[in-house]
Amino acid sequence: MKYVNTAVKKVDADALVQGKPVYTDDLAPKECLIIKLLRSPHAHAKIVDIDTKIAEKVPGVELILTCKNAPRHRFTSAGQTYPEWSPYDRVLCDDTMRYVGDVAAIVAADTEKHAEQACRLIKVTYEVLEPILDFETAKDNPIRVHDDDSFAKSPFHYAPERNLITSGREDFGDFDAEFAKCTHTVDCTYYTPAQQQCMMETFRSYAYMEYSGRLTLVSSTQVPFHARRHIATMLGIPYTKVRVIKPRIGGGFGAKQTSVSEFYPAAVTWLTGKPSKLIFTRQEAFACSNSRHQMRIRVRAGCDTEGNVTAISIESLSNTGAYGEHGSTVIGLVGHKTIPLYNKLKGGRFVWDVVYTNMESAAAFRGYGATQGTFALESTVNQLAEKAGIDAAELRLRNIAKEGAEVFMTHEIKYLNSSGLRGCITRGMELIGWNEKPHRQVMPDGKIRGMGMAICMQGSGIANVDTASVELRLEDFGFYTLMIGATDMGTGCDTIFAQMVADAMHCPMEKILVHGVDTDVSPYDPGSYASASTYVTGMAVVKACEHMTELILDEAAVRMNCPRETLSFDGASITAEDGTILSLDDLASALVAGPKTHQLVATASHGSPISPPPFMAGFAEIETDPETGKTDVIQMVGVVDCGTPINRALARVQTEGGLSQGIGFALFENVHYQTNGKMMTDNFMNYKIPTRMDTGEIIVDFSESYEPTGPYGAKSIGEVVINTPAPAIVQAVYEATGVRVTSLPITPEKILMGQK
Amino acid sequence: MQITIAINGKNYTRLVDPDTTLYTFVRDCGCYSVKCGCETTNCGLCTVWMDGTPVLSCSVLAARAAGHEITTLEGVLEESKQFTDFLAAEGAEQCGFCSPGFIMNVLAMKRELSNPTESEIQQYLSGNLCRCTGYAGQMRAIRKYMEVEA
Ligand code: FES
Ligand code: FES
């Protein structure tokens, strides 16, 4: 193998570092209608009347859509495999406003100025209603966020009359009985905020009509195929009328697994026939898109005197906000991607409610529920370790599953094929000096250092749901084109697939073109989310390469006139037993000339009945100033088991980036609303993400395992890397200050107020 | 009003509104490397040089830049290659959206500071946000670049 498991430069690197025009807004036509959205100032209101007469007179205004004239087909904006589990609770312009920022009108004009001016001139008469702004009071509240349940599509106990989009319970053994038997127990309730994805490129799309009367949308999306379905459903037009193209994307982290900006240019262009675009402002990206689900999680866990964790119960309440996209699926990961870490389990319980409120809708964010669950469960296990008098890392080593073991409450896998978690823990201990350094240390300047750790898991695609298809073509001069529908959002999947093909076809990477994504030409792929690309699409790539090798040998046998079994292919040429050689270049040229023409095309699809978990151990060393409560990260160590890392440089940078977002989740990133439901933290001044001064030293290593069901032994890496910092840092702060923070983020105030 | 701004050594004369930003102006002139991440001077994505000094083009009025020399990444591709080869080798241009503004500031830092310490580097670049990489890979690339003889 030449490329897999090395640090290859990304195939798009040169374009990106030279600032080439490769992102959505760089490519939009200059003559383009500009769209602005008039947004509700009320968290809950009915539009009694909306008058656009004066606004329409603004020069250059082309179209104004409101609840009076917009298409009224119901849809969900969640980018999930059909039939989505998210409720179809949206229409383009509703007459009920369900959060501050809900869309009251869509304005398209020749310039931004004119569009904004028209927005100001639209007269809306609202009947203001009482909102639900506290998610703990939403369930069975007489105020209903959605009073029309005709659209229920969510299969899991969808009950909008109770403001519930899903609720449920799972049991393993008898939790109550096992919990009662435990020597040491912890019962603690945690809160996590609606963290914002904050990708640097906000939501944006533009649309134009093609010569054949079809709507083409270019969009910064993680889910082009789902977006095609969303748009066709929203407009009530056949799928064949819609084409979605994904250029380079300026980050997504799950935010763009939901269609956000897409609907508006699609509707404007479809109705006017003219090109149009919509660029979200940063304020809109904060307050009017989607976020992580805010949660309350109560964990009860217990262990015996040896530290065997035998009982775990997780009761979770999740705030899906005004609309339900991803609400019924995110919640599953709170339990399914945390409890299975503990393999001595005898009694387990997982209970959930997901509620509507009049706040910004939550959707997908890297970690997808596992992040919240890991914070709660790992914080609890750290407390349990203290009670049992066992080192926190040692306690994990006693409880984690060995390779081949049966695992519990995963929902999808039964047995663990691969795990490098033991190595993650032991290597992490070495890197941070877990056994050497004191876990609490007062520094000469009076500041106090502390250390903490946590472990976590995630999935690799969604078992039995996610699929991927790829097409590999042998082109006329012996190079290959790989057509994919997976969406590189900066994460580098175009590059790692090229690495895989190069190794499988024994050729240099320069001979491989990777093309994605255009729904007209790319093979179907649900998109890049759920840590699926490397594992699921990667496996389709491996299969396609195997098939291509067969096809090459078949054709060579015909043209060399000798039995196929006697031929061998080394990537450059096909050799017969008698030493006759046919170069791939010659074969490829011959295949596209004359009556015997036959271009070789290998297609492959892959879906997995399992979702093998990547694992990680995270170790934090922090320093708190007891005078101010201010906490700095000194070191954040992360050791990952992603199976075989296909590209070591990209896997490392992914890990560093995930740890940094996890540090933000732990220490800074907080969402505040005014009492009227308006978000206050809607810019980078009020919502602080880590700068390069805030992350401390990030140290990353890998504890490789080999996943037999993955391409070259690979599992996923995209999401698992965000989960450990919060519980590890919480523990480190506790070691340093004695203050146990159970509600993120860990602000200086919480530390100061908590100190005795 | 009509103004003229020199961008990467070429004069551009355009009609602008009093509130047109330099960011909009340079993109209208085809300098698509310049990105906007916040409109509120917090992210550094829109960094260009005005008379050789980094400025945030989202918060400079085009009218104020009239008569000045503006440089964008398009204008310094040879100089930047020395740095971006290191950046690409680290894979630290993940989505790449923050890269142009960041690169412009790194080049300015190299011109301005000799032998900066780690914390001087961090301070100089603290206004350049990146949500993808966690900054560590960027720092590895910077360290290698700062060792290159100017
Ligand atoms: S766009 Fe200018 S600093 Fe963010
Ligand atoms: S590489 Fe994506 S924001 Fe920096």
Side-chain angles (χ1 to χ4, degrees), chain A residues 64-294:
Chain A
I64 301 181
L65 289 173
T66 68
C67 55
K68 287 182 175 170
N69 62 346
R72 279 204 69 83
H73 305 280
R74 287 214 167 268
F75 60 90
T76 174
S77 58
Q80 301 171 302
T81 294
Y82 186 83
E84 308 92 337
W85 292 347
S86 296
Y88 276 37
D89 53 10
R90 286 188 182 259
V91 294
L92 190 60
C93 287
D94 210 344
D95 56 0
T96 302
M97 301 286 100
R98 297 188 175 83
Y99 75 103
V100 175
D102 220 347
V103 175
I106 304 164
V107 176
D110 58 345
T111 64
E112 186 170 346
K113 281 238 155 81
H114 289 147
E116 280 169 352
Q117 197 183 345
C119 275
R120 285 193 295 271
L121 293 170
I122 295 173
K123 277 212 201 79
V124 195
T125 313
Y126 293 103
E127 178 198 343
V128 179
L129 306 170
E130 183 88 13
I132 302 177
L133 298 172
D134 174 358
F135 78 120
E136 295 187 88
T137 65
K139 185 177 166 183
D140 294 322
N141 193 309
I143 302 165
R144 275 186 70 172
V145 178
H146 287 269
D147 49 16
D148 175 355
D149 36 26
S150 60
F151 52 82
K153 218 178 173 188
S154 174
F156 304 114
H157 309 287
Y158 185 62
E161 68 285 358
R162 305 181 63 199
N163 291 323
L164 278 177
I165 86 153
T166 185
S167 57
R169 171 175 168 157
E170 261 169 48
D171 281 286
F172 168 77
D174 182 344
F175 167 76
D176 292 313
E178 294 299 334
F179 191 63
K181 281 190 230 161
C182 289
T183 319
H184 307 285
T185 61
V186 174
D187 178 350
C188 190
T189 300
Y190 305 87
Y191 290 85
T192 59
Q195 188 189 16
Q196 299 268 355
Q197 297 91 342
C198 294
M199 61 282 156
M200 282 295 132
E201 182 197 37
T202 61
F203 304 91
R204 54 198 59 200
S205 319
Y206 70 87
Y208 59 89
M209 295 303 287
E210 270 180 19
Y211 65 92
S212 57
R214 296 168 71 237
L215 176 69
T216 298
L217 186 87
V218 179
S219 187
S220 180
T221 175
Q222 293 174 229
V223 287
F225 285 91
H226 295 328
R228 178 174 69 178
R229 185 179 71 248
H230 294 156
I231 289 161
T233 308
M234 178 270 293
L235 288 171
I237 60 176
Y239 293 169
T240 50
K241 289 283 180 201
V242 185
R243 171 185 183 191
V244 178
I245 297 170
K246 175 217 74 109
R248 303 324 290 176
I249 305 181
F253 314 120
K256 295 171 183 170
Q257 195 199 336
T258 298
S259 292
V260 176
S261 58
E262 285 80 357
F263 299 107
Y264 307 100
V268 167
T269 295
W270 182 252
L271 294 170
T272 62
K274 296 185 178 175
S276 68
K277 78 170 174 184
L278 172 58
I279 312 281
F280 267 44
T281 63
R282 180 55 66 182
Q283 190 275 335
E284 289 179 298
F286 269 111
C288 318
S289 60
N290 63 71
S291 69
R292 194 184 284 294
H293 286 75
Q294 177 188 27

Side-chain angles (χ1 to χ4, degrees), chain A residues 200, chain B residues 92-99 129-133 138:
Chain A
M200 282 295 132
Chain B
E93 77 316 345
Q94 199 183 96
C95 78
F97 205 70
C98 71
S99 299
L129 295 181
C130 172
R131 189 58 156 170
C132 295
T133 66
Q138 292 183 348

Side-chain angles (χ1 to χ4, degrees), chain A residues 7-10 12-14 16-23 25-28 30 113 195-202 204 248-251 253 280-283 365-366 488-492 649-650 652-654 656-658 660-661 664 669 683-685 687 689-693 695-696 698, chain B residues 14 17-20 23 27-43 45 73-74 77 80-81 84-85 87-100 102-103 106 119 121-140 142:
Chain A
V8 176
K9 187 170 109 171
K10 284 208 299 167
D12 54 358
D14 289 338
L16 300 191
V17 300
Q18 290 171 17
K20 294 283 188 266
V22 293
Y23 301 91
D25 191 29
D26 306 340
L27 301 169
K30 287 230 166 186
K113 281 238 155 81
Q195 188 189 16
Q196 299 268 355
Q197 297 91 342
C198 294
M199 61 282 156
M200 282 295 132
E201 182 197 37
T202 61
R204 54 198 59 200
R248 303 324 290 176
I249 305 181
F253 314 120
F280 267 44
T281 63
R282 180 55 66 182
Q283 190 275 335
F365 186 169
R366 192 182 211 171
D488 193 333
M489 53 176 143
T491 44
L650 302 186
R652 183 177 183 189
V653 172
Q654 277 263 27
E656 291 163 345
S660 165
Q661 290 178 357
E669 299 184 30
N683 56 59
F684 283 124
M685 279 176 271
Y687 185 92
I689 64 170
T691 71
R692 68 190 71 235
M693 318 275 285
T695 55
I698 295 182
Chain B
R14 293 272 196 283
D17 290 328
D19 59 353
T20 302
Y23 165 77
R27 281 187 65 94
D28 280 351
C29 297
C31 296
Y32 290 110
S33 74
V34 186
K35 298 289 188 268
C36 170
C38 74
E39 315 112 24
T40 52
T41 72
N42 297 103
C43 75
L45 265 65
L73 181 56
E74 284 88 347
L77 285 177
S80 66
K81 190 171 185 312
T84 56
D85 282 350
L87 192 67
E90 292 294 338
E93 77 316 345
Q94 199 183 96
C95 78
F97 205 70
C98 71
S99 299
F102 164 69
I103 293 164
V106 170
S119 88
I121 294 175
Q122 285 182 344
Q123 250 156 33
Y124 196 100
L125 300 170
S126 64
N128 290 93
L129 295 181
C130 172
R131 189 58 156 170
C132 295
T133 66
Y135 309 108
Q138 292 183 348
M139 282 304 285
R140 289 192 289 276
I142 291 167

Side-chain angles (χ1 to χ4, degrees), chain A residues 455-597:
Chain A
I455 58 173
C456 75
M457 62 186 284
Q458 196 81 36
S460 302
I462 306 170
N464 293 314
V465 175
D466 281 341
T467 61
S469 302
V470 303
E471 183 184 304
L472 185 66
R473 297 200 299 248
L474 177 63
E475 304 288 5
D476 50 357
F477 284 97
F479 67 95
Y480 302 94
T481 304
L482 177 71
M483 308 292 292
I484 57 166
T487 48
D488 193 333
M489 53 176 143
T491 44
C493 71
D494 291 0
T495 306
I496 64 160
F497 296 144
Q499 290 176 259
M500 290 181 190
V501 175
D503 280 3
M505 302 313 296
H506 307 287
C507 68
M509 259 177 84
E510 294 71 52
K511 287 210 165 197
I512 293 140
L513 307 181
V514 179
H515 185 277
V517 178
D518 174 344
T519 56
D520 270 13
V521 292
S522 307
Y524 181 84
D525 192 297
S528 287
Y529 58 86
S531 301
S533 297
T534 303
Y535 178 73
V536 184
T537 311
M539 211 52 206
V541 169
V542 167
K543 284 184 182 175
C545 291
E546 285 166 1
H547 187 199
M548 176 55 79
T549 304
E550 298 297 313
L551 292 175
I552 289 171
L553 288 171
D554 284 347
E555 273 304 321
V558 174
R559 303 203 181 221
M560 295 168 83
N561 205 3
C562 50
R564 189 186 173 294
E565 312 75 62
T566 62
L567 297 177
S568 65
F569 174 50
D570 66 1
S573 46
I574 300 102
T575 312
E577 264 177 345
D578 64 1
T580 324
I581 286 181
L582 173 63
S583 80
L584 181 68
D585 295 5
D586 289 345
L587 174 65
S589 307
L591 284 170
V592 291
K596 285 210 238 153
T597 182

